[in-house]
Each structure stands twice: as C-alpha cells, then as structure tokens.
PDB file of all heavy atoms in Angstrom:
ATOM      1  N   THR A   1      -4.448  13.615   4.326  1.00  0.00           N
ATOM      2  CA  THR A   1      -5.004  12.280   4.525  1.00  0.00           C
ATOM      3  C   THR A   1      -4.910  11.466   3.244  1.00  0.00           C
ATOM      4  O   THR A   1      -4.558  10.292   3.263  1.00  0.00           O
ATOM      5  CB  THR A   1      -6.473  12.377   4.968  1.00  0.00           C
ATOM      6  OG1 THR A   1      -6.541  13.193   6.125  1.00  0.00           O
ATOM      7  CG2 THR A   1      -7.040  11.025   5.278  1.00  0.00           C
ATOM      8  N   THR A   2      -5.194  12.091   2.118  1.00  0.00           N
ATOM      9  CA  THR A   2      -5.109  11.415   0.826  1.00  0.00           C
ATOM     10  C   THR A   2      -3.684  10.989   0.535  1.00  0.00           C
ATOM     11  O   THR A   2      -3.439   9.863   0.091  1.00  0.00           O
ATOM     12  CB  THR A   2      -5.608  12.351  -0.293  1.00  0.00           C
ATOM     13  OG1 THR A   2      -6.893  12.826   0.049  1.00  0.00           O
ATOM     14  CG2 THR A   2      -5.656  11.656  -1.617  1.00  0.00           C
ATOM     15  N   THR A   3      -2.737  11.859   0.792  1.00  0.00           N
ATOM     16  CA  THR A   3      -1.330  11.557   0.537  1.00  0.00           C
ATOM     17  C   THR A   3      -0.840  10.422   1.431  1.00  0.00           C
ATOM     18  O   THR A   3      -0.167   9.503   0.956  1.00  0.00           O
ATOM     19  CB  THR A   3      -0.464  12.817   0.765  1.00  0.00           C
ATOM     20  OG1 THR A   3      -0.965  13.867  -0.061  1.00  0.00           O
ATOM     21  CG2 THR A   3       0.986  12.555   0.439  1.00  0.00           C
ATOM     22  N   VAL A   4      -1.186  10.469   2.696  1.00  0.00           N
ATOM     23  CA  VAL A   4      -0.769   9.419   3.625  1.00  0.00           C
ATOM     24  C   VAL A   4      -1.397   8.086   3.232  1.00  0.00           C
ATOM     25  O   VAL A   4      -0.724   7.049   3.221  1.00  0.00           O
ATOM     26  CB  VAL A   4      -1.136   9.791   5.079  1.00  0.00           C
ATOM     27  CG1 VAL A   4      -0.941   8.605   6.015  1.00  0.00           C
ATOM     28  CG2 VAL A   4      -0.310  10.968   5.549  1.00  0.00           C
ATOM     29  N   GLY A   5      -2.671   8.098   2.885  1.00  0.00           N
ATOM     30  CA  GLY A   5      -3.350   6.867   2.483  1.00  0.00           C
ATOM     31  C   GLY A   5      -2.734   6.250   1.249  1.00  0.00           C
ATOM     32  O   GLY A   5      -2.516   5.029   1.184  1.00  0.00           O
ATOM     33  N   THR A   6      -2.420   7.076   0.261  1.00  0.00           N
ATOM     34  CA  THR A   6      -1.796   6.581  -0.966  1.00  0.00           C
ATOM     35  C   THR A   6      -0.403   6.034  -0.681  1.00  0.00           C
ATOM     36  O   THR A   6      -0.025   4.966  -1.186  1.00  0.00           O
ATOM     37  CB  THR A   6      -1.706   7.708  -2.017  1.00  0.00           C
ATOM     38  OG1 THR A   6      -3.024   8.177  -2.279  1.00  0.00           O
ATOM     39  CG2 THR A   6      -1.073   7.223  -3.297  1.00  0.00           C
ATOM     40  N   THR A   7       0.355   6.740   0.143  1.00  0.00           N
ATOM     41  CA  THR A   7       1.706   6.287   0.490  1.00  0.00           C
ATOM     42  C   THR A   7       1.660   4.958   1.226  1.00  0.00           C
ATOM     43  O   THR A   7       2.444   4.043   0.926  1.00  0.00           O
ATOM     44  CB  THR A   7       2.424   7.347   1.346  1.00  0.00           C
ATOM     45  OG1 THR A   7       2.449   8.574   0.620  1.00  0.00           O
ATOM     46  CG2 THR A   7       3.833   6.923   1.686  1.00  0.00           C
ATOM     47  N   MET A   8       0.743   4.830   2.180  1.00  0.00           N
ATOM     48  CA  MET A   8       0.625   3.570   2.920  1.00  0.00           C
ATOM     49  C   MET A   8       0.204   2.430   2.002  1.00  0.00           C
ATOM     50  O   MET A   8       0.740   1.320   2.088  1.00  0.00           O
ATOM     51  CB  MET A   8      -0.378   3.727   4.069  1.00  0.00           C
ATOM     52  CG  MET A   8       0.121   4.606   5.184  1.00  0.00           C
ATOM     53  SD  MET A   8      -1.125   4.930   6.451  1.00  0.00           S
ATOM     54  CE  MET A   8      -1.505   3.291   7.014  1.00  0.00           C
ATOM     55  N   SER A   9      -0.741   2.705   1.125  1.00  0.00           N
ATOM     56  CA  SER A   9      -1.214   1.693   0.189  1.00  0.00           C
ATOM     57  C   SER A   9      -0.089   1.234  -0.733  1.00  0.00           C
ATOM     58  O   SER A   9       0.097   0.027  -0.953  1.00  0.00           O
ATOM     59  CB  SER A   9      -2.373   2.253  -0.624  1.00  0.00           C
ATOM     60  OG  SER A   9      -2.794   1.325  -1.590  1.00  0.00           O
ATOM     61  N   ASP A  10       0.663   2.180  -1.278  1.00  0.00           N
ATOM     62  CA  ASP A  10       1.790   1.836  -2.151  1.00  0.00           C
ATOM     63  C   ASP A  10       2.860   1.046  -1.401  1.00  0.00           C
ATOM     64  O   ASP A  10       3.429   0.093  -1.934  1.00  0.00           O
ATOM     65  CB  ASP A  10       2.408   3.095  -2.753  1.00  0.00           C
ATOM     66  CG  ASP A  10       1.535   3.735  -3.813  1.00  0.00           C
ATOM     67  OD1 ASP A  10       0.562   3.076  -4.258  1.00  0.00           O
ATOM     68  OD2 ASP A  10       1.800   4.894  -4.187  1.00  0.00           O
ATOM     69  N   PHE A  11       3.142   1.439  -0.169  1.00  0.00           N
ATOM     70  CA  PHE A  11       4.134   0.730   0.633  1.00  0.00           C
ATOM     71  C   PHE A  11       3.710  -0.719   0.873  1.00  0.00           C
ATOM     72  O   PHE A  11       4.510  -1.643   0.688  1.00  0.00           O
ATOM     73  CB  PHE A  11       4.347   1.451   1.974  1.00  0.00           C
ATOM     74  CG  PHE A  11       5.285   0.723   2.899  1.00  0.00           C
ATOM     75  CD1 PHE A  11       6.647   0.722   2.656  1.00  0.00           C
ATOM     76  CD2 PHE A  11       4.798   0.046   4.001  1.00  0.00           C
ATOM     77  CE1 PHE A  11       7.520   0.043   3.504  1.00  0.00           C
ATOM     78  CE2 PHE A  11       5.663  -0.632   4.855  1.00  0.00           C
ATOM     79  CZ  PHE A  11       7.020  -0.629   4.607  1.00  0.00           C
ATOM     80  N   LEU A  12       2.453  -0.913   1.275  1.00  0.00           N
ATOM     81  CA  LEU A  12       1.975  -2.272   1.533  1.00  0.00           C
ATOM     82  C   LEU A  12       1.956  -3.110   0.257  1.00  0.00           C
ATOM     83  O   LEU A  12       2.337  -4.284   0.264  1.00  0.00           O
ATOM     84  CB  LEU A  12       0.572  -2.234   2.148  1.00  0.00           C
ATOM     85  CG  LEU A  12       0.465  -1.663   3.552  1.00  0.00           C
ATOM     86  CD1 LEU A  12      -1.002  -1.502   3.948  1.00  0.00           C
ATOM     87  CD2 LEU A  12       1.186  -2.539   4.551  1.00  0.00           C
ATOM     88  N   ASP A  13       1.518  -2.505  -0.826  1.00  0.00           N
ATOM     89  CA  ASP A  13       1.374  -3.245  -2.079  1.00  0.00           C
ATOM     90  C   ASP A  13       2.713  -3.496  -2.769  1.00  0.00           C
ATOM     91  O   ASP A  13       3.036  -4.625  -3.116  1.00  0.00           O
ATOM     92  CB  ASP A  13       0.433  -2.490  -3.022  1.00  0.00           C
ATOM     93  CG  ASP A  13       0.284  -3.178  -4.360  1.00  0.00           C
ATOM     94  OD1 ASP A  13       0.092  -4.405  -4.376  1.00  0.00           O
ATOM     95  OD2 ASP A  13       0.375  -2.489  -5.388  1.00  0.00           O
ATOM     96  N   ARG A  14       3.491  -2.449  -2.938  1.00  0.00           N
ATOM     97  CA  ARG A  14       4.699  -2.567  -3.757  1.00  0.00           C
ATOM     98  C   ARG A  14       5.944  -2.979  -2.976  1.00  0.00           C
ATOM     99  O   ARG A  14       6.736  -3.776  -3.457  1.00  0.00           O
ATOM    100  CB  ARG A  14       4.953  -1.250  -4.472  1.00  0.00           C
ATOM    101  CG  ARG A  14       3.835  -0.909  -5.426  1.00  0.00           C
ATOM    102  CD  ARG A  14       4.033   0.410  -6.082  1.00  0.00           C
ATOM    103  NE  ARG A  14       2.875   0.719  -6.928  1.00  0.00           N
ATOM    104  CZ  ARG A  14       2.605   1.905  -7.378  1.00  0.00           C
ATOM    105  NH1 ARG A  14       3.385   2.916  -7.072  1.00  0.00           N
ATOM    106  NH2 ARG A  14       1.543   2.105  -8.136  1.00  0.00           N
ATOM    107  N   THR A  15       6.113  -2.422  -1.780  1.00  0.00           N
ATOM    108  CA  THR A  15       7.320  -2.722  -1.006  1.00  0.00           C
ATOM    109  C   THR A  15       7.190  -4.047  -0.263  1.00  0.00           C
ATOM    110  O   THR A  15       8.087  -4.889  -0.318  1.00  0.00           O
ATOM    111  CB  THR A  15       7.628  -1.584  -0.016  1.00  0.00           C
ATOM    112  OG1 THR A  15       7.722  -0.359  -0.741  1.00  0.00           O
ATOM    113  CG2 THR A  15       8.930  -1.840   0.725  1.00  0.00           C
ATOM    114  N   LEU A  16       6.073  -4.220   0.435  1.00  0.00           N
ATOM    115  CA  LEU A  16       5.880  -5.453   1.207  1.00  0.00           C
ATOM    116  C   LEU A  16       5.239  -6.571   0.384  1.00  0.00           C
ATOM    117  O   LEU A  16       5.090  -7.679   0.880  1.00  0.00           O
ATOM    118  CB  LEU A  16       5.023  -5.163   2.445  1.00  0.00           C
ATOM    119  CG  LEU A  16       5.621  -4.169   3.448  1.00  0.00           C
ATOM    120  CD1 LEU A  16       4.684  -3.983   4.630  1.00  0.00           C
ATOM    121  CD2 LEU A  16       6.996  -4.609   3.910  1.00  0.00           C
ATOM    122  N   LYS A  17       4.846  -6.257  -0.850  1.00  0.00           N
ATOM    123  CA  LYS A  17       4.264  -7.237  -1.781  1.00  0.00           C
ATOM    124  C   LYS A  17       2.997  -7.889  -1.242  1.00  0.00           C
ATOM    125  O   LYS A  17       2.756  -9.071  -1.441  1.00  0.00           O
ATOM    126  CB  LYS A  17       5.288  -8.326  -2.141  1.00  0.00           C
ATOM    127  CG  LYS A  17       6.617  -7.823  -2.626  1.00  0.00           C
ATOM    128  CD  LYS A  17       6.516  -7.290  -4.021  1.00  0.00           C
ATOM    129  CE  LYS A  17       7.918  -6.975  -4.521  1.00  0.00           C
ATOM    130  NZ  LYS A  17       7.985  -5.904  -5.435  1.00  0.00           N
ATOM    131  N   PHE A  18       2.166  -7.094  -0.554  1.00  0.00           N
ATOM    132  CA  PHE A  18       0.912  -7.624  -0.008  1.00  0.00           C
ATOM    133  C   PHE A  18      -0.143  -7.812  -1.095  1.00  0.00           C
ATOM    134  O   PHE A  18      -1.059  -8.593  -0.919  1.00  0.00           O
ATOM    135  CB  PHE A  18       0.352  -6.675   1.053  1.00  0.00           C
ATOM    136  CG  PHE A  18       0.975  -6.805   2.410  1.00  0.00           C
ATOM    137  CD1 PHE A  18       2.159  -7.484   2.614  1.00  0.00           C
ATOM    138  CD2 PHE A  18       0.363  -6.225   3.501  1.00  0.00           C
ATOM    139  CE1 PHE A  18       2.727  -7.594   3.861  1.00  0.00           C
ATOM    140  CE2 PHE A  18       0.919  -6.323   4.763  1.00  0.00           C
ATOM    141  CZ  PHE A  18       2.102  -7.005   4.946  1.00  0.00           C
ATOM    142  N   GLY A  19      -0.062  -7.075  -2.162  1.00  0.00           N
ATOM    143  CA  GLY A  19      -1.101  -7.102  -3.189  1.00  0.00           C
ATOM    144  C   GLY A  19      -2.258  -6.196  -2.778  1.00  0.00           C
ATOM    145  O   GLY A  19      -2.351  -5.735  -1.640  1.00  0.00           O
ATOM    146  N   TYR A  20      -3.140  -5.940  -3.739  1.00  0.00           N
ATOM    147  CA  TYR A  20      -4.237  -5.002  -3.486  1.00  0.00           C
ATOM    148  C   TYR A  20      -5.225  -5.501  -2.435  1.00  0.00           C
ATOM    149  O   TYR A  20      -5.677  -4.749  -1.582  1.00  0.00           O
ATOM    150  CB  TYR A  20      -4.993  -4.697  -4.782  1.00  0.00           C
ATOM    151  CG  TYR A  20      -4.220  -3.849  -5.744  1.00  0.00           C
ATOM    152  CD1 TYR A  20      -3.980  -4.282  -7.044  1.00  0.00           C
ATOM    153  CD2 TYR A  20      -3.715  -2.610  -5.368  1.00  0.00           C
ATOM    154  CE1 TYR A  20      -3.264  -3.500  -7.936  1.00  0.00           C
ATOM    155  CE2 TYR A  20      -2.995  -1.827  -6.253  1.00  0.00           C
ATOM    156  CZ  TYR A  20      -2.775  -2.280  -7.536  1.00  0.00           C
ATOM    157  OH  TYR A  20      -2.071  -1.504  -8.406  1.00  0.00           O
ATOM    158  N   VAL A  21      -5.568  -6.775  -2.491  1.00  0.00           N
ATOM    159  CA  VAL A  21      -6.591  -7.290  -1.574  1.00  0.00           C
ATOM    160  C   VAL A  21      -6.104  -7.250  -0.134  1.00  0.00           C
ATOM    161  O   VAL A  21      -6.778  -6.713   0.752  1.00  0.00           O
ATOM    162  CB  VAL A  21      -7.017  -8.723  -1.980  1.00  0.00           C
ATOM    163  CG1 VAL A  21      -7.959  -9.305  -0.945  1.00  0.00           C
ATOM    164  CG2 VAL A  21      -7.653  -8.723  -3.359  1.00  0.00           C
ATOM    165  N   LEU A  22      -4.930  -7.802   0.130  1.00  0.00           N
ATOM    166  CA  LEU A  22      -4.412  -7.812   1.497  1.00  0.00           C
ATOM    167  C   LEU A  22      -4.116  -6.395   1.990  1.00  0.00           C
ATOM    168  O   LEU A  22      -4.393  -6.067   3.149  1.00  0.00           O
ATOM    169  CB  LEU A  22      -3.161  -8.688   1.595  1.00  0.00           C
ATOM    170  CG  LEU A  22      -2.579  -8.858   2.999  1.00  0.00           C
ATOM    171  CD1 LEU A  22      -3.633  -9.408   3.970  1.00  0.00           C
ATOM    172  CD2 LEU A  22      -1.360  -9.762   2.956  1.00  0.00           C
ATOM    173  N   SER A  23      -3.601  -5.539   1.107  1.00  0.00           N
ATOM    174  CA  SER A  23      -3.357  -4.141   1.489  1.00  0.00           C
ATOM    175  C   SER A  23      -4.655  -3.464   1.899  1.00  0.00           C
ATOM    176  O   SER A  23      -4.702  -2.728   2.894  1.00  0.00           O
ATOM    177  CB  SER A  23      -2.728  -3.368   0.327  1.00  0.00           C
ATOM    178  OG  SER A  23      -1.460  -3.876   0.019  1.00  0.00           O
ATOM    179  N   SER A  24      -5.716  -3.705   1.138  1.00  0.00           N
ATOM    180  CA  SER A  24      -7.025  -3.121   1.460  1.00  0.00           C
ATOM    181  C   SER A  24      -7.538  -3.623   2.798  1.00  0.00           C
ATOM    182  O   SER A  24      -8.085  -2.853   3.592  1.00  0.00           O
ATOM    183  CB  SER A  24      -8.039  -3.450   0.364  1.00  0.00           C
ATOM    184  OG  SER A  24      -7.646  -2.883  -0.843  1.00  0.00           O
TER     185      SER A  24
END
C-alpha cells in the first residue's frame, strides 16, 4: 500500500505536473 501510494503520488505530481496540493 505504501509503495502504490508513493508511486501514484509521484506520477500525479511529477509526470502529470499536478503539484502537491492537487495530487493530495
């Protein structure tokens, strides 16, 4: 669960450029 959550967060933030707030 931790790995999936981190991967999803990184994908939203870094790949899709959502930023931390929108990713959260």
